[in-house]
Amino acid sequence: MELGLRDRKKAATRVALSEAAARLAMERGIELVTADMIASEAGVSVRTFHNYFSCKEEAVLHHFEAEVLEWAQWLRERPADEPILDSLEHIVLRALIESDAQLEEMKALADLIDSSPTLLAKKMEMHVRLTPMLDEVIAERTGASGLYPSLLQTVVGAAVKASLDLWMSGRSTAASAEHLIREAFDHLRSGLAVPAR
């Protein structure tokens, strides 16, 4: 019980630091944010910050890494005989529904990362580290190896991004972002056949 409580406190501190880093970066720009500022915002010492993160960019991106690890676990927990696209659709919709952040906040942070060379470089490092892990989970689920797991991961990611971008632009007549994501998966299941007019 004591170990469990300690682990929970450490996890909560990591999340608090990451949220503080992201909030400050969006308010001031990552270049103007320091480890001292993040620590102060989270109510801990700068030494504590460095116990959890090597740099401010890592702190800003922590929640992305945590989410990917959580999605991988969710995928492992899906029924073994469930078609892979059904499993991935379930996971994407669960992540959308359970997210504490609003879509506007998520997009603002994504835009910040894409506009910052240091954040983008750190994100690419994270991508290189996490993609093989997700490939392994997809391979376990499908029995497929080689190109397929990576291709599926990339295609699904692009489909979700296209859905959310269209929703955020205000150009869609769909009832919700969830509706657009379901439509995107239907297109993937059809092999991206041109819809009937």
Side-chain angles (χ1 to χ4, degrees):
M1 288 294 290
E2 183 180 349
L3 182 61
L5 178 60
R6 189 185 313 132
D7 286 343
R8 287 196 298 274
K9 284 183 176 179
K10 288 172 68 175
T13 300
R14 190 181 297 274
V15 168
L17 284 165
S18 178
E19 289 178 348
R23 187 164 55 249
L24 288 169
M26 285 191 288
E27 288 174 1
R28 309 182 186 200
I30 189 66
E31 298 80 7
L32 299 179
V33 175
T34 65
D36 286 309
M37 292 165 61
I38 296 169
S40 177
E41 181 81 1
V44 299
S45 68
V46 70
R47 181 178 177 180
T48 297
F49 172 87
H50 287 298
N51 285 340
Y52 287 89
F53 299 109
S54 63
C55 62
K56 59 188 178 182
E57 290 82 5
E58 186 179 310
V60 171
L61 291 166
H62 166 70
H63 77 282
F64 284 113
E65 181 168 0
E67 285 174 355
V68 171
L69 295 174
E70 186 172 47
W71 299 339
Q73 185 58 37
W74 290 350
L75 183 54
R76 290 188 180 99
E77 294 168 356
R78 297 303 299 165
D81 59 348
E82 185 176 57
I84 188 62
L85 281 175
D86 291 358
S87 297
L88 291 171
E89 180 180 16
H90 176 88
I91 288 163
V92 169
L93 291 173
R94 178 178 174 182
L96 184 67
I97 291 166
E98 293 186 5
S99 174
D100 291 331
Q102 298 297 315
L103 284 176
E104 292 80 4
E105 293 175 34
M106 294 165 61
K107 185 176 187 306
L109 185 55
D111 289 345
L112 171 72
I113 293 166
D114 289 342
S115 68
S116 165
T118 57
L119 282 170
L120 199 54
K122 204 71 179 175
K123 181 184 176 184
M124 291 306 299
E125 286 179 24
M126 185 179 71
H127 179 75
V128 168
R129 187 174 68 255
L130 294 176
T131 296
M133 182 270 296
L134 283 177
D135 285 350
E136 287 178 15
V137 180
I138 292 172
E140 290 168 10
R141 296 279 313 188
T142 62
S145 58
L147 174 64
Y148 181 79
S150 184
L151 180 62
L152 180 62
Q153 185 183 157
T154 302
V155 168
V156 167
V160 172
K161 183 179 186 305
S163 302
L164 295 179
D165 285 351
L166 182 60
W167 174 253
M168 294 296 296
S169 74
R171 294 183 288 114
S172 173
T173 58
S176 65
E178 178 182 341
H179 180 88
L180 278 176
I181 287 172
R182 291 187 186 279
E183 183 181 344
F185 273 91
D186 287 342
H187 285 306
L188 294 180
R189 290 187 188 92
S190 77
L192 289 180
V194 178
R197 295 186 180 183

